[in-house]
Amino acid sequence: MVYQPPAGARDLLPLDVAQKRWIEERLQQVFHRWGYHQIITSTLERMDTLMAGGAIQRSTVIQLQNAEDEDLGLRPELTASIARTSVTRMAGVTYPQRLYYKANVFQRTRELKHNRQQEFYQAGVELLGSGGLLADADILLLLANCLEALGLQRWHLILGEAEITRSLIKAFPPNLQGKVRSAIAHLDRITIDSLPLTDELKERARIMLDLRGNPADVLQKASNLGLDEPLQAAVNNLKALVELLYNSVKIHTNSSQGTGMEIILDLSLIQTLDYYTGIVFEVVGDTDGQARVVGRGGRYDNLLELYHPQGENIPGIGFAFLLEDLQQVLLSGGQLPQTTPPINWLVVPEDKSAYTAAFSYAKKLRDSTHLVRVEIDLGGRNADEIREYARDRSIVQIAWIKADGSTMIESVTSDQ
């Protein structure tokens, strides 16, 4: 019998881990520089927490039960868990709170017969207790700084507004709103044309599909939709946000240009999670000519209220990087390490009487102020086999240790 991981799970081998850590360490450095503190929440949560008041569908959660028959699940994302933790375990803190995480999440899919992945890794931030233009810009500039630190050469920020999109969909018959929402989310004109809608509503849906592209053009189209005052205010906020971003970071609006961020305004952008209340966004990177979503996020000003013991409304905004997708984009650009870190030293006791001296010498090497990777040879090989092992493992130097502690250093040369 050949043992394999269960359907939807996978193992990360040493090179996978080295590349994942390369990404996480650079993101963590940026998070620290922007004043964020790490939070670790439970992998296992009660289902009512994970569903976030119905914003997350039960069918997407891998469900479990404990001995007390509690309705439990594995987290499909981190925002709901952090919202729950912040208002129940961090009561009385001063806002804004800046929190970051790096963790695995689990998302049930219906394609298990195809071994569709169900465990994913994410790293992201949540900015709690601040609303408005300045906080929106701050989170997007942090996102841009993260991608700059990773050396991502070319990427798009697709920016939408959940309240505008949600309001525009309310004009459709209630029994068809779900299908219209799905068709718009997938840019599916064929479905729009086939739905039993009036010509006026079909045209409205087509207009929504076209609310995507250059920010100035989209904002002009949106202003011509006859929006009520609150929605027009949301459009004005988007305009101010885009202008602030243009003035604060290197941005391209022409895909033929070299490096930097390109902003695409998309008022048809609909996230799979339904707790967003303001701006929503996706980060798209290019790999081998194909677009890949490497991150997403948005504003959720009503989420923390669900978990707060007194029902206090606390605004929030955040984003998550999808580490597997980000890894693929960075691999195609050559940024990630292609090998695991080399071992610096192999310490070899020449016989049993040299064991104590070998361990002492290895400890001295490891106690260096810099990270030094040291292996002890565990016996069973002659000198030529030890040298061959060192070459295979890309070990830099061998220290041959005698019982009296005397040492002979040999530099390892690779085979020509």
Side-chain angles (χ1 to χ4, degrees):
M1 178 179 180
V2 178
Y3 287 93
Q4 299 289 348
R10 69 189 185 102
D11 302 312
L12 296 183
L13 302 183
L15 181 57
D16 299 318
V17 174
Q19 292 175 347
K20 176 175 175 288
R21 288 196 62 184
W22 187 95
I23 295 171
E24 289 178 341
E25 287 169 0
R26 280 154 182 78
L27 292 177
Q28 181 171 279
Q29 288 171 9
V30 178
F31 296 159
H32 286 173
R33 286 198 294 268
W34 284 65
Y36 282 74
H37 298 278
Q38 186 174 6
I39 187 171
I40 299 175
T41 62
S42 173
T43 306
L44 193 64
E45 290 273 12
R46 292 186 173 87
M47 283 296 295
D48 56 357
T49 296
L50 295 179
M51 292 174 64
I56 297 175
Q57 295 182 0
R58 177 180 285 267
S59 61
T60 65
V61 180
I62 297 176
Q63 298 174 53
L64 304 168
Q65 284 188 324
N66 60 11
E68 289 74 36
D69 288 332
E70 289 182 292
D71 201 8
L72 306 176
L74 300 177
R75 60 188 178 205
E77 50 89 58
L78 270 294
T79 301
S81 294
I82 292 174
R84 185 268 306 162
T85 303
S86 67
V87 298
T88 59
R89 303 293 307 282
M90 300 169 65
V93 298
T94 301
Y95 288 103
Q97 282 291 306
R98 292 176 167 88
L99 305 172
Y100 81 87
Y101 58 86
K102 45 184 180 175
N104 56 348
V105 298
F106 303 85
Q107 296 168 6
R108 179 186 294 278
T109 62
R110 297 174 181 174
E111 293 92 350
L112 282 183
K113 60 183 179 181
H114 302 301
N115 205 30
R116 182 75 177 269
Q117 187 175 339
Q118 292 192 100
E119 182 179 11
F120 304 87
Y121 292 91
Q122 296 183 355
V125 302
E126 310 294 349
L127 173 57
L128 308 179
S130 287
L133 173 65
L134 191 59
D136 290 351
D138 193 64
I139 210 79
L140 292 175
L141 292 174
L142 166 58
L143 183 149
N145 194 188
C146 287
L147 296 177
E148 181 183 15
L150 293 173
L152 193 62
Q153 296 296 310
R154 185 91 188 117
W155 56 281
H156 303 69
L157 175 68
I158 301 177
L159 181 61
E161 220 290 345
E163 281 303 312
I164 296 176
T165 307
R166 193 175 290 122
S167 178
L168 292 175
I169 289 175
K170 286 180 181 178
F172 296 91
N175 62 317
L176 295 177
Q177 286 179 8
K179 292 181 179 180
V180 172
R181 186 179 190 275
S182 177
I184 290 173
H186 295 92
L187 303 178
D188 185 355
R189 294 179 182 272
I190 294 176
T191 296
I192 292 295
D193 291 339
S194 66
L195 289 173
L197 298 169
T198 64
D199 291 343
E200 181 182 354
L201 286 176
K202 284 185 179 180
E203 182 59 24
R204 183 183 183 89
R206 294 188 193 103
I207 290 174
M208 290 183 67
L209 289 173
D210 290 334
L211 292 176
R212 187 177 197 273
N214 179 276
D217 295 338
V218 173
L219 289 168
Q220 183 60 49
K221 290 178 183 178
S223 295
N224 295 333
L225 287 175
L227 302 175
D228 60 23
E229 187 173 337
L231 293 184
Q232 187 59 51
V235 171
N236 294 340
N237 183 73
L238 270 181
K239 181 179 179 181
L241 177 60
V242 170
E243 289 176 352
L244 184 52
L245 293 175
Y246 272 119
N247 293 328
S248 303
V249 71
K250 183 179 180 181
I251 293 176
H252 290 153
T253 57
N254 187 326
S255 59
S256 66
Q257 297 184 36
T259 62
M261 173 173 69
E262 177 184 352
I263 294 180
I264 298 173
L265 207 56
D266 185 359
L267 298 186
S268 67
L269 179 61
I270 297 174
Q271 298 283 31
T272 55
L273 306 176
D274 202 25
Y275 50 56
Y276 291 110
T277 59
I279 66 165
V280 291
F281 50 90
E282 290 183 346
V283 181
V284 178
D286 294 326
T287 172
D288 300 325
Q290 294 184 337
R292 184 187 289 263
V293 176
V294 299
R296 55 171 58 98
R299 174 161 291 285
Y300 47 87
D301 285 351
N302 299 328
L303 181 61
L304 274 69
E305 180 182 5
L306 292 174
Y307 307 112
H308 197 284
Q310 286 78 45
E312 183 178 343
N313 190 11
I314 300 170
I317 185 172
F319 64 78
F321 285 116
L322 316 178
L323 294 188
E324 288 89 351
D325 296 289
L326 192 53
Q327 181 180 1
Q328 291 304 310
V329 171
L330 293 172
L331 268 175
S332 71
Q335 287 99 325
L336 294 181
Q338 301 300 309
T339 60
T340 54
I343 301 300
N344 303 102
W345 289 88
L346 177 62
V347 176
V348 183
E350 292 196 348
D351 54 38
K352 290 183 178 180
S353 64
Y355 284 1
T356 299
F359 279 118
S360 296
Y361 190 82
K363 181 179 185 302
K364 182 176 72 172
L365 292 172
R366 292 179 182 126
D367 287 345
S368 167
T369 55
H370 303 289
L371 174 62
V372 178
R373 293 177 169 86
V374 183
E375 286 187 15
I376 290 281
D377 182 73
L378 301 178
R381 290 182 288 224
N382 62 36
D384 288 338
E385 290 171 336
I386 289 172
R387 293 186 178 96
E388 182 63 27
Y389 170 81
R391 284 191 290 269
D392 288 344
R393 295 291 304 276
S394 299
I395 293 174
V396 179
Q397 295 184 98
I398 301 175
W400 305 90
I401 310 296
K402 297 183 180 298
D404 62 2
S406 59
T407 305
M408 185 185 75
I409 308 300
E410 178 180 346
S411 296
V412 179
T413 57
S414 59
D415 292 329
Q416 301 297 319

